[in-house]
């Protein structure tokens, strides 16, 4: 990337620092599940509501790999399909885990009102189970129990109430579905999982009453398998009114149980789905199919995002689950080609840069956390020059995704994401992925990259045979117990290191020219050819030296000059940094890189609560003479304990109180502490600028990110800012 500003430097020996201010209304005759006999469906009562089933762990899908990595897909399938109700009837089951979305914002209660506002007619009903929130705005809902409601044509009736249990437990979902299908069958049935979502690794439905326990993908598949014997047809759709659940791993788990998946690749606004539009459409179009309904859900969701000014990064897609097997076979063959490139360092580097440069979702930066969800189609598009099979696999993906709606910043989204370890934060992350990965060759590729991260880029000792052949550990229940393989790199945190001056980084980076300050006052280095092959990106890191000698982390940016042909890297530091209008610098970390914009995340305290300021910087032309910087809003990011992703960016309101939040480090022990700036009252103007930093000394260095997810930090140099001038120490 080119430098944003023109640097004015002079050599000077100075010192200085500056301390910042410290009942079912379906009364028509319905066809029974037995096929042929019709009878009226009885109104459920509290007495008959309890049905108990126990998930067995089976999901309806088994994947296995032959010795050469050929993928075998074994799914449970019905020989005959019989509708479970009269033609044109619909039941949409909503598994509403309220969590903080309800207890803080009342979003669940608002959606119950939307369902009541729908003109469903007598042929369509919502059947809802509530739970998972400390309190509910809707007075009919008991937060201490699992309440069940039927909403039909404006009428909402409580028809059941169960003892409290975790909505993040598969048995809770299985029991709701078993009861609902027995009590309210229809010719067409849909399922919506309502709550937070966090993609393929951490799943969906985080229950705040049970320490944010969530439904993993295997738990979800097992719950659906529980009710499979009681159904004579599949769900017309299985949807997620939750963030980040439109993934290939999710879709694979749903194939035996549904016709279509409706979900978002990215975060959702708190508003979520438009249930009035959904109910109205089914009320007036009872004959619709899953594809047409999916288009309606996509469009109405996007329209709702427009109404609340959150459409810029909106995504929503409708996936035909019947076409997933063809995509998975093609993806596996393309992943075989990915793995083959691990034998060629130069091509492997190009491949990984294509993957890490693909559109990704859910933060994926130091300030906000990582979900590691990357757009599958963008991966294929970015790497098709290297992978002969990418074109066919991309076509298979496009056949699966029958419809999608994307906002301005998500125009390249293709409808389904997949896992790639941009940064591994949780010690069990790779273990979880092994249980949901759709391809033995892709698992081998991802695992080999993780192995490389743990072995300083040395891949020679890696064994792919763990995932292939008769004794394959791919989707094996006892994989870790039966293998003599060392899983050390699976069982420890590999998150971003602090990267402080004096800390030892990775040792495998080699230089043709060691980092030094040239005569023009530019800090630079030149990578060796081998290290250049292993480099994914280079960022600059900045720390303010406080009066007590602590180091205040001001973040990381891509504002460096990088020559990918020669391996030369130069700093572009000019003393300017992101700041609030009152001049307080922000700890800004790059979160997203577009063709003509960057997105940054800056930790703040907003009205007394920790969150992250989202900042967009648009630029145009060489040297960026026409940059504009704008506050997009705030996003809480990824919970480091549960993996739960916050819903989408929230706008700031005039009068909000913002306090910049930083990490400060002791230079001797590297012990971290939190440093908070002064209060700034937001005026309602979202414009920001890069201001010259306060007078003082600053540590500046580079972070070299390698293709294995590792980081190496150069030595740091000291720059001094004095007024409009920037000096360096000889």
């Amino acid at each position: 990337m080119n430098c944003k500003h023109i640097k004015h430097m002079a050599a000077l020996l100075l010192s200085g620092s500056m301390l910042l201010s410290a009942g079912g209304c379906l009364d028509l005759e319905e066809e029974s599940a037995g096929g042929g006999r019709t009878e009226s469906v009885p109104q459920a009562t509290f007495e008959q509501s309890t049905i108990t089933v126990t998930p067995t762990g089976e999901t309806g899908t088994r994947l296995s790999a032959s010795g050469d990595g050929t993928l075998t897909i074994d799914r449970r399938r019905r020989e005959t399909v019989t509708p479970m109700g009269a033609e044109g009837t619909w039941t949409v089951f909503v598994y509403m885990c309220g969590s903080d979305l309800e207890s803080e914002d009342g979003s669940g209660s608002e959606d119950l009102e939307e369902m009541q506002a729908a003109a469903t007619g007598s042929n369509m009903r919502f059947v809802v189970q509530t739970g998972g929130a400390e309190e509910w705005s809707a007075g009919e809902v008991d937060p201490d129990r699992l309440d069940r409601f039927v909403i039909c044509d404006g009428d909402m009736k409580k028809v059941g109430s169960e003892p409290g249990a975790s909505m993040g437990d598969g048995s809770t979902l299985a029991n709701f579905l078993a009861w609902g299908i027995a009590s309210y069958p229809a010719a067409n049935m849909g399922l919506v999982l309502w709550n937070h979502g966090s993609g393929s690794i951490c799943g969906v439905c985080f229950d705040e009453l049970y320490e944010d326990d969530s439904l993993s993908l295997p738990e979800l598949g097992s719950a659906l398998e529980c009710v499979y014997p009681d159904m004579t047809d599949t769900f017309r759709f299985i949807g997620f009114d939750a963030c980040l659940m439109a993934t290939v791993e999710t879709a694979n788990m749903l194939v035996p149980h549904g016709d279509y998946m409706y979900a978002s690749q990215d975060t959702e606004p708190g508003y979520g789905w438009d249930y009035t539009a959904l109910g109205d459409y089914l009320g007036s179009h009872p004959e619709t199919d899953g594809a047409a309904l999916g288009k309606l859900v996509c469009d109405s969701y996007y329209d709702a995002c427009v109404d609340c000014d959150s459409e810029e990064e909106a995504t929503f897609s409708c996936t035909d689950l019947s076409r997933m097997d063809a995509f998975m076979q093609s993806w596996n063959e393309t992943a075989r080609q990915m793995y083959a490139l691990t034998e060629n360092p130069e091509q492997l580097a190009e491949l990984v840069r294509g993957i890490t440069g693909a559109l990704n979702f859910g933060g994926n930066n130091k300030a906000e956390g990582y979900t590691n969800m990357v757009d599958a189609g963008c991966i294929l598009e970015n790497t098709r020059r290297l992978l002969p099979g990418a074109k066919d696999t991309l076509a298979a993906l496009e056949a699966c995704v029958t419809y999608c709606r994307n906002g301005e910043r998500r125009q390249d989204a293709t409808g389904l994401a997949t896992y790639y370890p941009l940064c591994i934060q949780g010690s069990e992350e790779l273990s979880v992925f092994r249980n949901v990965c759709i391809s033995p060759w892709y698992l081998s590729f991802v695992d080999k990259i993780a192995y490389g991260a743990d072995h300083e880029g040395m891949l020679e000792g890696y064994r792919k045979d763990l995932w292939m052949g008769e004794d394959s550990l791919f989707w094996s229940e006892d994989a870790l117990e039966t293998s003599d393989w060392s899983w050390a790199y699976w069982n420890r945190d590999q998150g971003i290191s602090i990267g402080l001056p004096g800390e030892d980084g990775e040792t495998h980076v080699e230089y043709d020219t060691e980092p030094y300050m040239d005569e023009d006052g530019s800090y630079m280095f030149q990578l060796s050819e081998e290290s250049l092959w292993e480099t994914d990106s280079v960022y600059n890191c900045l720390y303010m030296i406080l009066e007590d000698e602590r180091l205040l982390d001001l973040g990381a940016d891509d504002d460096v000059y990088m020559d990918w042909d020669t391996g030369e890297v130069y700093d572009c530091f000019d003393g300017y940094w992101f700041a609030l209008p009152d001049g307080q610098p922000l700890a800004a970390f790059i979160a997203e890189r577009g063709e003509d914009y960057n997105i940054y995340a800056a930790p703040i305290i907003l009205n007394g609560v920790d969150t992250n300021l989202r900042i967009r910087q648009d630029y145009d032309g060489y040297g960026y003479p026409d940059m504009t910087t704008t506050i997009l809003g705030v996003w809480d990011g990824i919970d480091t304990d549960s993996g739960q992703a916050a819903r989408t960016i929230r706008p700031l309101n005039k009068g909000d109180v913002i306090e910049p939040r930083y990490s400060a480090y002791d230079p001797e022990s590297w012990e971290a502490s939190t440093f908070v700036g002064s209060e700034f009252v937001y005026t309602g103007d979202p414009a920001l600028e890069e201001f010259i930093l306060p007078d003082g000394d600053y540590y500046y260095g580079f972070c070299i990110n390698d293709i294995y997810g590792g980081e190496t930090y150069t030595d740091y140099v000291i720059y001094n800012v004095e007024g409009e001038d920037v000096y360096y120490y000889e």
Side-chain angles (χ1 to χ4, degrees), residues 143-332:
D144 297 322
R145 298 183 65 82
L146 302 175
D147 284 343
R148 292 167 177 172
F149 300 89
V150 173
I151 303 173
C152 182
D153 216 20
D155 183 46
M156 175 172 164
K157 292 183 178 179
K158 184 183 289 190
V159 295
S161 185
E162 299 294 310
S166 172
M167 296 280 275
D169 190 315
S171 62
T172 307
L173 173 60
N175 289 327
F176 167 59
L177 292 177
W179 163 81
I181 290 165
S183 303
Y184 301 101
N188 305 282
M189 294 187 291
L191 170 62
V192 180
L193 293 114
W194 190 106
N195 183 242
H196 289 289
S198 201
S200 300
I201 301 302
C202 295
V204 68
C205 292
F206 295 76
D207 191 317
E208 72 176 1
L209 300 177
Y210 291 84
E211 299 181 338
D212 290 327
D213 180 30
S214 66
L215 282 170
S216 67
L217 294 190
E219 281 184 297
L220 172 58
S222 185
L224 293 168
E225 180 67 10
C226 269
V227 297
Y228 187 99
D230 301 322
M231 299 176 65
T232 59
D233 200 356
T234 53
F235 289 100
R236 288 292 164 268
F237 73 87
I238 300 173
F240 297 86
D241 194 352
C243 302
L244 299 159
M245 296 308 296
T247 75
V248 298
E249 293 84 16
T250 307
N252 171 58
M253 204 64 69
L254 303 183
V255 170
H257 309 291
D259 298 340
Y260 291 87
M261 177 178 77
Y262 308 157
S264 171
Q265 290 178 269
D266 211 332
T267 55
E268 281 196 358
Y271 186 94
W273 290 26
D274 187 336
Y275 290 95
T276 301
L278 173 61
D280 285 347
Y281 184 81
L282 291 179
S284 59
H285 299 80
E287 76 292 343
T288 193
D289 61 14
L293 179 62
K295 182 178 184 302
L296 177 280
V297 174
C298 289
D299 288 339
S300 61
Y301 169 82
Y302 185 81
D303 291 343
C305 291
V306 172
D307 290 341
C308 61
D309 295 323
S310 60
E311 77 278 8
E312 190 176 68
E313 60 181 9
T315 65
F316 208 89
S317 59
C318 171
T319 300
D320 185 344
L321 296 174
S322 70
R323 299 179 180 180
M324 276 298 297
D325 285 8
F327 165 73
M328 289 167 59
Q329 292 290 3
S330 184
W331 176 265
N332 189 52

Side-chain angles (χ1 to χ4, degrees), residues 549-577:
E549 298 187 350
R550 284 186 300 167
L551 304 177
L552 197 74
D553 189 352
L554 291 181
D557 195 2
D558 66 346
D559 191 22
V560 302
Y561 174 80
M562 174 83 188
D563 189 325
W564 287 100
D565 293 323
T566 65
E568 291 181 319
V569 178
Y570 291 87
D571 86 90
C572 295
F573 183 64
D574 56 6
Y576 283 83
W577 202 254

